[in-house]
Amino acid sequence: MEYVSCRASKLVLSVPSKFFVEWIEEHYKQTIIESVKVTSDTDVTLGLVIVAQEKAPAKTQKKPAEPKKISSQPNLSKAKLNEKYTLNKFVVGKSNEFCYAACKAITKNLGTTYNPLFLYGGVGLGKTHLMQAIGNDALEKNPDMRVLYISSEEFVNDLISSLQRGHMSSFRNRYRSLDLLLVDDIQFIAGKERTQEEFFHTFNTLFQEKKQIVLSSDKFPKEITNMEERLRSRFAWGLIADIQPPELEIKMAILQKIAKENGFTLGEEVSSYLGNKIKSNIRELEGCFSRVMAYSSLTGRNIDLEMTKETLKGIYDETTSAIDIKDIQKAVADFYKLKVLDLKSKDRKKNIALPRHVAIYLCREYTNNSLPEIGRAFGGRDHTTIMHSVQKVKQDVNDNTKLYNEIKEIKRIMDL
């Protein structure tokens, strides 16, 4: 951030990207104005202009591509889409490659390839990004297409408002005349009978007219409780694709991409540190790095490991520092209705062996203990046995929906 001018009581500062405009407006605008008042006894307004930094030539190369989207801007707003979410900006890895491929496939032939497309996975893993990317791609190809991205909560509120005002005819027409409907967090309509009734008929109308439907949830369709069976079965008519927590390499790649887009150089040491610090939530990872970038911009310091640790001290504490092997053993034993001694025993029955594998896997992922240390905590097993358990869970969770959700629930209980 650099001084540009101060005329007619307006202080103008330059920043390297739109990200910094939004960040400073939200977090530092008033502080800057008050600081100027204290030092110069002058009341000013603050203006921010974007000036690309020399260290980010790639950023200036991207600017000519922006005008392509101007024609669809009004429709982006109407469709409730954010133009920053595109398929090109989605970082693909083993944990999300199937889901990404499914989203890309339906953009080539909306309404016929996979309909509906049902995305499921934990919070902050990229479901919203992919859904909005589908909408953005559709409008880029055809700006006149009728597209709507909406959360299930917004759908419920719209229904209630329409009922109260007696506008159900316009409500039904609004949703049933769409070419592409994207509904985020569909699990939240569970237990709401009238909402499910209206969504059922909306779904049927769009499906019969071969209009694309994309839904997301944190649960597999058949595991959404208090949801009408006729809806759950329809959710599974097309393709179900899941997003799993990202591996370290994906998190590092995401950070590198964000850094490059905002004119920063990010070393592997820092990206690895941040990737290990934030275990599974991409949204939290991005928020963590946003703070680092803002601090770097405002202080003029380069982003190195020392500065990163200093910036995040006391805010993003290490998850592993608060969790130990005993905590995980107890949580897993309680979840599977076993005793901790069962996990440490030599018993190889499936109802004990599987929970043992899960507990070992979580110990490896969320503690700083070495393989031999984890082995000793599980009845004196050697490090190769521990490594086998970890690899087994990593492989099985890709194909076993039940196991995936069991581990996710244990992590939620433990706040991991």
Side-chain angles (χ1 to χ4, degrees), residues 157-174:
N157 291 338
D158 195 6
L159 172 60
I160 292 172
S161 176
S162 298
L163 285 168
Q164 290 173 340
R165 298 179 182 183
H167 293 167
M168 285 305 297
S169 178
S170 61
F171 171 88
R172 288 164 182 155
N173 182 63
R174 182 161 58 253

Side-chain angles (χ1 to χ4, degrees), residues 156-272:
V156 172
N157 291 338
D158 195 6
L159 172 60
I160 292 172
S161 176
S162 298
L163 285 168
Q164 290 173 340
R165 298 179 182 183
H167 293 167
M168 285 305 297
S169 178
S170 61
F171 171 88
R172 288 164 182 155
N173 182 63
R174 182 161 58 253
Y175 288 96
R176 299 178 194 182
S177 64
L178 293 169
D179 297 308
L180 170 59
L181 174 62
L182 309 126
V183 184
D184 219 345
D185 293 321
I186 193 64
Q187 73 273 11
F188 289 124
I189 71 169
K192 299 176 175 67
E193 293 182 8
R194 183 58 190 270
T195 302
Q196 291 184 57
E197 178 74 18
E198 286 298 330
F199 190 77
F200 172 78
H201 293 297
T202 296
F203 183 103
N204 281 349
T205 299
L206 295 176
F207 184 83
Q208 289 167 7
E209 295 180 2
K210 294 186 177 180
K211 305 301 183 181
Q212 183 68 49
I213 304 164
V214 183
L215 309 170
S216 81
S217 173
D218 63 356
K219 296 180 176 68
F220 195 72
K222 66 181 180 181
E223 293 166 351
I224 304 176
T225 56
N226 296 322
M227 183 75 77
E228 292 183 12
E229 181 57 36
R230 60 180 180 172
L231 274 177
R232 287 193 294 182
S233 65
R234 278 165 172 74
F235 293 166
W237 276 0
L239 179 67
I240 300 173
D242 71 309
I243 302 182
Q244 298 178 21
E247 57 270 32
L248 176 61
E249 291 79 7
I250 283 293
K251 290 185 282 186
M252 291 174 66
I254 290 171
L255 291 171
Q256 293 285 353
K257 191 175 184 70
I258 294 173
K260 185 176 181 180
E261 289 174 351
N262 288 282
F264 288 94
T265 300
L266 184 65
E268 184 175 320
E269 186 178 36
V270 175
S271 60
S272 176

